[in-house]
Amino acid sequence: MNKGEFVEALADRLDVSRAQADRALSAVLDIISEQLGKGEKVAFTGFGSFEVSERAARTGRNPQTGATIEIAASSVPKFTAGATLKAAVNK
């Protein structure tokens, strides 16, 4: 399912226009992104949680040349599924 299909399903379920559903989804994704950008955790009980994970700097290797490269430290988003979501997937 892509974003367009998701928006269409959301519009049908909420009985709203496709434009309203698209704005609602965009708002939710923006809020999650903003909170993660601040380093905050976003949790939906039963569904799961989004948080920022820190990756340390490390040494890597270019697979084509075999040359050693330095990979900078970075922050990455991480999603952990909740119990209800896990149960729905493992029917």
Side-chain angles (χ1 to χ4, degrees), residues 2-63:
N2 62 29
K3 183 180 177 185
E5 293 167 339
F6 188 90
V7 166
E8 192 169 321
L10 185 61
D12 288 344
R13 185 154 306 181
L14 296 176
D15 196 28
V16 297
S17 73
R18 197 166 186 275
Q20 289 172 315
D22 186 44
R23 283 195 305 273
L25 176 60
S26 293
V28 168
L29 297 177
D30 287 346
I31 291 168
I32 292 171
S33 297
E34 287 170 8
Q35 293 305 306
L36 291 177
K38 295 176 186 176
E40 298 290 325
K41 182 177 180 177
V42 178
F44 299 102
T45 303
F47 181 75
S49 61
F50 298 89
E51 59 188 311
V52 177
S53 180
E54 301 297 327
R55 286 193 180 160
R58 62 195 189 279
T59 303
R61 191 169 299 279
N62 181 330

